[in-house]
């Protein structure tokens, strides 16, 4: 199985892209993030839904004390209060420099190892500066099921 053949095509995030547009593309492709191509054309990081939500909607004190928070916290509905403001921001200030990636000819075991190393459930298939798409643990599991059914 060649990773390039099972990669899920996604767009590249670019400077000036709106958070809403990133969210739409991630939802369409069922990937939680996109590789970021900077103004010079180099893939230099990633834009992640999780990171954007963490930075804009989740104060540190909520994370630190999540184990003692109750389920009824109507007074702390932060994401709902400013979702329009978040969605109209550009992604530029939220780019993560780490980019879990693997070459298209790498075996699935290497892709899984890199995901574990980076504590993520997806990574990008990149040869040099050529982006082929992304794979996730879900897309890998789907491919395993498909291969098993074909046998």
């Amino acid at each position: 199985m060649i990773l390039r053949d099972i990669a899920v095509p996604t767009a590249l995030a670019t400077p000036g892209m709106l958070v809403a547009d990133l969210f739409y593309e991630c939802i369409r492709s069922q990937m939680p993030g996109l590789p970021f191509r900077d103004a010079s054309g180099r893939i230099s990081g990633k834009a992640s839904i999780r990171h954007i939500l963490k930075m804009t909607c989740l104060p540190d004190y909520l994370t630190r004390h999540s184990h003692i928070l109750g389920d009824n916290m109507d007074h702390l509905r932060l994401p709902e209060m400013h979702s329009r403001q978040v969605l109209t921001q550009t992604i530029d200030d939220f780019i993560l420099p780490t980019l879990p990636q693997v070459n298209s000819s790498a075996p699935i075991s290497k892709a899984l190892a890199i995901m574990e190393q980076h504590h993520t459930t997806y990574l990008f298939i990149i040869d040099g500066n050529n982006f082929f798409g992304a794979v996730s643990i879900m897309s890998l599991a789907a491919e395993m099921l498909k291969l098993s059914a074909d046998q």
Side-chain angles (χ1 to χ4, degrees):
M1 181 178 341
I2 298 173
L3 287 175
R4 179 176 49 216
D5 294 341
I6 62 171
V8 175
T10 72
L12 289 162
T14 55
M17 183 180 214
L18 295 179
V19 168
D21 294 332
L22 174 84
F23 283 13
Y24 281 124
E25 176 59 17
C26 289
I27 291 165
R28 183 202 63 76
S29 64
Q30 292 295 293
M31 288 294 163
L34 301 176
F36 178 75
R37 177 171 278 155
D38 62 25
S40 68
R42 191 173 62 90
I43 298 174
S44 61
K46 76 173 179 177
S48 158
I49 290 176
R50 178 177 178 237
H51 182 67
I52 291 170
L53 292 177
K54 176 183 171 189
M55 300 306 292
T56 60
C57 301
L58 190 60
D60 287 339
Y61 67 86
L62 283 180
T63 304
R64 279 194 313 273
H65 303 295
S66 64
H67 63 287
I68 60 172
L69 296 173
D71 293 331
N72 188 358
M73 302 185 337
D74 290 337
H75 58 290
L76 290 176
R77 298 211 177 268
L78 298 169
E80 295 94 327
M81 289 173 24
H82 68 285
S83 62
R84 183 170 290 133
Q85 176 189 2
V86 170
L87 293 171
T88 58
Q89 292 181 42
T90 66
I91 63 168
D92 300 12
D93 292 333
F94 303 112
I95 302 305
L96 294 166
T98 56
L99 181 70
Q101 63 179 304
V102 68
N103 187 286
S104 66
S105 62
I108 287 179
S109 55
K110 181 173 181 176
L112 290 169
I114 290 173
M115 284 187 225
E116 283 301 314
Q117 180 183 35
H118 288 271
H119 305 288
T120 187
T121 59
Y122 66 105
L123 55 73
F124 305 109
I125 311 301
I126 301 173
D127 292 347
N129 209 36
N130 295 320
F131 173 61
F132 294 101
V135 293
S136 69
I137 57 169
M138 298 299 282
S139 63
L140 292 176
E143 185 63 20
M144 289 174 69
L145 287 170
K146 180 181 164 198
L147 289 173
S148 175
D150 291 344
Q151 292 178 352

